[in-house]
């Protein structure tokens, strides 16, 4: 057929645009995924223990959630984080990014505190080392302290069940039984 | 009196600026300024427009007003002050945010298509134009002129 080539080219471009234009340019894939979590040493909000380091995150899978009292997206994801904390399916560590201690105390008082520990990154220096460019962002660490996933934007049930659970597995089947996942 | 009116306007405009001085003073006072020597300062100023701000992606780190951009400018000044090269600074950023922060990413297997793509498309376009021209020329060519032998044959047949 005479127009076979132009039609094929047009169809190719249509597919390219349909796929390409539906991708969110704000989601920048992190080069830190599948690498060990960057080193940090931050004070905790409640002072027990006074400071936490990267090594304190090892031992079990953990979600490291960068949030702030001034961030709207953090309020959106908060009810789900509370639900996750109640279910006890995974340990949650919050990093309070560029925030004032009074503000975050008030915010956690108002909305509830889902975190096992909250670390204060007051000047945002740790955020830079972790490649954070807009809260909320959540890093998923396996028991060895390797970043296995990064959620940019609010955590959702959909993201947790579909993207994160398969990577960290059930706590019960943690002893080398990775192949047992359905 | 016009000069009095001008003075009032001037004072009103100046009053509008007062809060911005206050904010600027707050931002500046948060961290001690980093002093660079003339050569470091020149390299810092030359590199900033090459770096993308991740918050407002169409702006460079030189232009962006985002708080993260200000933090990163401060980090980069700190790196230069410690004697870092341009490559060290780029590596600091790409290790954290990926190649996306570089407006001109380095040439690698992953970015080869990005760099070669426009030239490949231009070549494809050129090939298409050549093919069309050749086809047009072929169809427009006059029918072959019969030679004397063939003409005689035709005339013989017509008899």
């Amino acid at each position: 057929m005479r127009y076979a080539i132009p039609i094929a080219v047009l169809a190719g471009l249509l597919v390219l645009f349909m796929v390409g234009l539906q991708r969110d340019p704000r989601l920048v894939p992190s080069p830190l995924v599948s690498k060990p979590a960057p080193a940090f040493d931050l004070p905790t909000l409640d002072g027990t223990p006074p400071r936490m380091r990267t090594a304190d995150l090892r031992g079990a899978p953990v979600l490291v959630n960068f949030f702030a009292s001034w961030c709207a997206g953090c309020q959106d994801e908060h009810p789900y984080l509370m639900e996750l904390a109640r279910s006890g399916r995974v340990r949650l560590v919050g990093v309070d990014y560029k925030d004032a201690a009074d503000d975050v105390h008030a915010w956690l008082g108002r909305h509830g505190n889902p975190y096992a520990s909250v670390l204060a990154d007051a000047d945002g220096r740790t955020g830079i080392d972790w490649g954070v460019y807009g809260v909320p962002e959540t890093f998923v660490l396996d028991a060895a302290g390797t970043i296995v996933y990064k959620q940019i934007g609010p955590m959702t049930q959909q993201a947790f069940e579909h993207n994160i659970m398969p990577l960290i597995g059930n706590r019960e089947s943690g002893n080398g039984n990775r192949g047992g996942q359905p | 009196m016009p000069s009095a009116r001008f003075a009032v306007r001037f004072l009103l405009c100046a009053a509008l600026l007062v809060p911005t001085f206050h904010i600027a003073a707050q931002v500046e006072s948060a961290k001690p300024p980093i002093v660079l020597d003339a050569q470091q300062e020149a390299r810092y100023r030359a590199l900033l427009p090459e770096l993308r701000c991740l918050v407002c992606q169409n702006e460079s780190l030189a232009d962006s007003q985002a708080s993260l951009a200000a933090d990163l400018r401060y980090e980069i000044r700190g790196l230069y002050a410690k004697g870092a090269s341009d490559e060290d600074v780029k590596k600091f950023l790409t290790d954290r945010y990926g190649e996306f922060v570089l407006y001109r990413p380095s040439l690698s297997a992953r970015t080869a298509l990005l760099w070669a793509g426009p030239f490949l498309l231009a070549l494809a376009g050129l090939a298409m134009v050549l093919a069309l021209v050749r086809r047009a020329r072929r169809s427009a060519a006059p029918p072959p002129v019969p030679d004397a032998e063939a003409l005689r044959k035709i005339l013989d047949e017509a008899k």
Side-chain angles (χ1 to χ4, degrees):
Chain A
M1 199 175 113
R2 205 178 147 196
Y3 296 111
I5 292 176
I7 287 173
V9 169
L10 185 67
L13 282 178
L14 276 178
V15 170
L16 185 73
F17 290 151
M18 272 167 66
V19 174
L21 295 178
Q22 283 181 36
R23 292 176 59 172
D24 186 351
R26 292 208 38 89
L27 301 182
V28 182
S30 172
L32 294 169
V33 172
S34 80
K35 297 211 175 100
F40 69 86
D41 183 1
L42 288 175
T44 59
L45 212 60
D46 60 0
T48 49
R51 301 188 77 84
M52 276 179 71
R53 290 167 191 84
T54 317
D56 298 321
L57 299 178
R58 290 192 202 120
V62 57
L63 301 193
V64 179
N65 174 243
F66 282 77
F67 75 104
S69 66
W70 45 262
C71 138
C74 305
Q75 216 154 310
D76 292 344
E77 70 174 358
H78 206 74
Y80 184 64
L81 294 185
M82 291 299 290
E83 194 185 316
L84 260 185
R86 270 192 297 270
S87 75
R89 292 164 80 186
V90 69
R91 182 180 169 213
L92 277 166
V93 169
V95 181
D96 184 31
Y97 176 76
K98 299 192 79 170
D99 211 351
D102 289 348
D103 292 347
V104 73
H105 276 298
W107 194 79
L108 290 173
R110 196 167 342 122
H111 301 288
N113 183 353
Y115 305 110
S117 311
V118 180
L119 314 175
D121 181 22
D123 61 1
R125 190 59 192 71
T126 298
I128 289 179
D129 278 342
W130 286 61
V132 171
Y133 62 91
V135 278
E137 288 182 15
T138 305
F139 295 83
V140 183
L141 274 59
D142 66 11
T146 303
I147 295 175
V148 290
Y149 186 78
K150 180 183 180 184
Q151 169 80 14
I152 295 163
M155 179 60 64
T156 59
Q157 183 172 11
Q158 159 85 12
F160 185 77
E161 302 289 351
H162 288 88
N163 302 335
I164 296 173
M165 270 317 278
L167 295 171
I168 60 177
N170 293 320
R171 272 183 164 180
E172 290 76 25
S173 63
N175 37 6
N177 193 16
R178 283 246 169 103
Q181 284 289 317
Chain B
M1 223 170 114
S3 69
R5 196 182 287 165
F6 175 77
V8 168
R9 281 187 187 163
F10 181 80
L11 283 176
L12 278 175
C13 288
L16 283 175
L17 287 173
V18 167
T20 63
F21 288 138
H22 176 67
I23 293 166
Q26 257 185 345
V27 170
E28 293 303 322
S29 68
K31 292 171 184 170
I34 296 173
V35 185
L36 300 178
D37 65 33
Q39 200 222 343
Q40 288 168 340
E41 184 74 38
R43 274 163 48 211
Y44 167 79
R45 292 199 179 278
L47 185 67
L48 274 197
E50 295 282 321
L51 304 171
R52 187 197 305 272
C53 171
L54 284 118
V55 182
C56 17
Q57 299 180 346
N58 293 329
E59 282 188 302
S60 76
L61 278 186
D63 301 326
S64 177
Q65 299 288 315
S67 128
L68 177 67
D71 289 354
L72 287 173
R73 283 195 292 267
Y74 190 81
E75 284 302 316
I76 294 169
R77 287 188 78 83
L79 289 172
Y80 275 123
K82 276 185 245 162
S85 69
D86 293 352
E87 289 311 308
D88 294 338
V89 172
K90 284 187 194 169
K91 187 173 181 325
F92 175 89
L93 290 167
T94 51
D95 280 352
R96 286 159 179 76
Y97 301 100
E99 290 267 325
F100 189 66
V101 295
L102 304 177
Y103 276 118
R104 283 188 277 181
S106 59
L107 183 58
S108 70
R110 283 185 51 158
T111 58
L113 192 61
L114 187 66
W115 279 104
F119 301 103
L120 291 178
L121 283 177
L123 275 180
L126 195 66
M128 208 184 289
V129 168
L130 280 179
L132 285 175
V133 166
R134 195 168 292 172
R135 191 194 292 173
R137 198 174 283 164
R138 200 184 302 142
S139 60
V145 186
D147 56 15
E149 186 73 31
L151 277 175
R152 198 169 291 135
K153 212 178 235 173
I154 291 168
L155 287 172
D156 285 347
E157 276 166 16
K159 273 185 194 163

